[in-house]
């Protein structure tokens, strides 16, 4: 079957650094992790697997992923100074070579963050080429997000009608759901719902969802 390629796939992303997989993808992983955390990051450990672990210094993966934590885009010139800028911002960081198992992509990193209020957040994902990434874990929850569409991950109280309320609100606002999956960890009172939408959700709609008292947390994942 023939595959359609975009200009982005052929030319590659705008970026700082020598490798789209090791720098552009790394920056995007860091930036996405920071957004998922939802609060300023004060300490972060990068558990680097496979190719990331072997070449992260030479390919600039280290500076790129720290830049991502600081909120920089892959083409931000400040990435080259990300270590110094992180230190100025009071963000401590550490790189650890590790083995995350045979089932993960060679360019995988597990990002363990301590936030400003003392809470913790963990994100695992991989840089899969051309600056593209795939998230596989968020705070212990298995997810599958590659940035092809906008998505929201909602932590919602496990009561009858709660998920239907969310999907009904989206339908009422003419939002087309592309995919939806649910995950209820054992012994948890909450169900995690991941919804990909054809169009991005307006902040006003996200605010409506946040007002629903049985929703504990909403994470918005932007399309890349």
């Amino acid at each position: 079957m023939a595959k359609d390629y975009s200009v982005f796939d052929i030319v590659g992303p705008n970026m700082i650094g020598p490798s789209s997989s090791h720098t552009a993808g790394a920056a995007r992983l860091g930036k996405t992790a920071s957004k998922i955390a939802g609060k300023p990051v004060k300490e972060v450990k990068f558990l680097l697997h496979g190719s990331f672990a072997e070449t992260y210094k030479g390919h600039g993966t280290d500076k790129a992923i720290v830049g991502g934590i600081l909120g920089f885009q892959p083409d931000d010139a400040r990435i080259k100074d990300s270590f110094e800028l992180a230190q100025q911002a009071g963000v401590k960081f550490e790189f650890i070579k590790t083995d995350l198992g045979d089932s993960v992509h060679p360019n995988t990193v597990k990002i363990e963050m301590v936030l400003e209020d003392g809470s913790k957040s963990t994100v695992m994902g991989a840089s899969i080429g051309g600056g593209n990434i795939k998230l596989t874990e968020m705070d212990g929850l298995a997810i599958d997000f590659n940035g092809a569409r906008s998505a929201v991950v909602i932590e919602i109280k496990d009561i009858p009608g709660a998920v239907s309320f969310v999907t009904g609100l989206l339908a009422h606002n003419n939002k087309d759901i592309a995919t939806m999956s649910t995950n209820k960890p054992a012994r948890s009172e909450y169900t995690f719902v991941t919804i990909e939408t054809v169009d991005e959700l307006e902040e006003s709609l996200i605010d409506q969802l946040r007002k629903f008292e049985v929703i504990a947390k909403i994470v918005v994942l932007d399309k890349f």
Side-chain angles (χ1 to χ4, degrees):
M1 181 180 294
K3 177 181 177 181
D4 293 328
Y5 291 91
S6 69
V7 172
F8 182 86
D9 293 321
I10 297 169
V11 178
N14 292 326
M15 65 181 189
I16 300 296
S19 166
S20 60
S21 292
H22 287 254
T23 51
R28 187 162 283 138
L29 283 166
K31 189 173 189 298
T32 303
S34 179
K35 183 167 186 180
I36 287 173
K39 298 173 184 176
V41 176
K42 300 307 293 181
E43 298 180 22
V44 56
K45 291 182 180 179
F46 301 103
L47 280 62
L48 301 166
H49 170 84
S51 179
F52 262 7
E54 297 303 319
T55 64
Y56 73 95
K57 290 183 179 180
H59 283 178
T61 303
D62 47 3
K63 291 186 177 181
I65 202 165
V66 169
I69 288 290
L70 296 176
F72 301 163
Q73 296 284 5
D75 60 350
D76 196 314
R78 291 176 294 175
I79 283 178
K80 66 181 184 298
D81 300 316
S82 63
F83 284 7
E84 293 79 6
L85 293 171
Q87 290 170 356
Q88 291 172 18
V91 179
K92 299 178 181 179
F93 56 90
E94 181 181 1
F95 299 95
I96 301 171
K97 294 183 179 182
T98 191
D99 185 350
L100 296 171
D102 296 334
S103 63
V104 303
H105 190 281
N107 291 338
T108 293
V109 58
K110 190 170 186 178
I111 304 173
E112 298 180 343
M113 297 167 283
V114 178
L115 311 183
E116 191 174 55
D117 63 355
S119 61
K120 297 180 180 181
S121 183
T122 301
V123 173
M124 188 163 74
S127 177
I128 58 176
N132 300 301
I133 67 172
K134 181 178 181 180
L135 300 185
T136 56
E137 184 180 310
M138 184 186 77
D139 295 333
L141 173 73
I143 62 173
D144 184 1
F145 177 73
N146 61 14
R149 299 186 181 94
S150 300
V152 289
V153 181
I154 304 173
E155 184 178 352
I156 187 168
K157 187 77 171 179
D158 191 25
I159 62 173
V163 174
S164 296
F165 171 85
V166 172
T167 56
L169 182 60
L170 295 181
H172 180 73
N173 285 271
N174 298 313
K175 296 302 177 183
D176 188 7
I177 295 175
T179 66
M180 185 175 80
S181 62
T182 60
N183 186 338
K184 185 179 184 302
R187 297 182 295 278
S188 174
E189 296 181 355
Y190 290 87
T191 295
F192 293 84
V193 183
T194 302
I195 300 174
E196 291 188 350
T197 54
V198 175
D199 300 314
E200 292 185 10
L201 303 183
E202 296 83 2
E203 188 60 34
S204 59
L205 182 52
I206 298 298
D207 287 340
Q208 288 184 57
L209 288 169
R210 288 196 176 103
K211 291 176 181 177
F212 190 35
E213 61 183 12
V214 298
I215 290 181
K217 183 178 180 180
I218 298 178
V219 175
V220 179
L221 301 174
D222 298 326
K223 177 181 177 179
F224 301 143

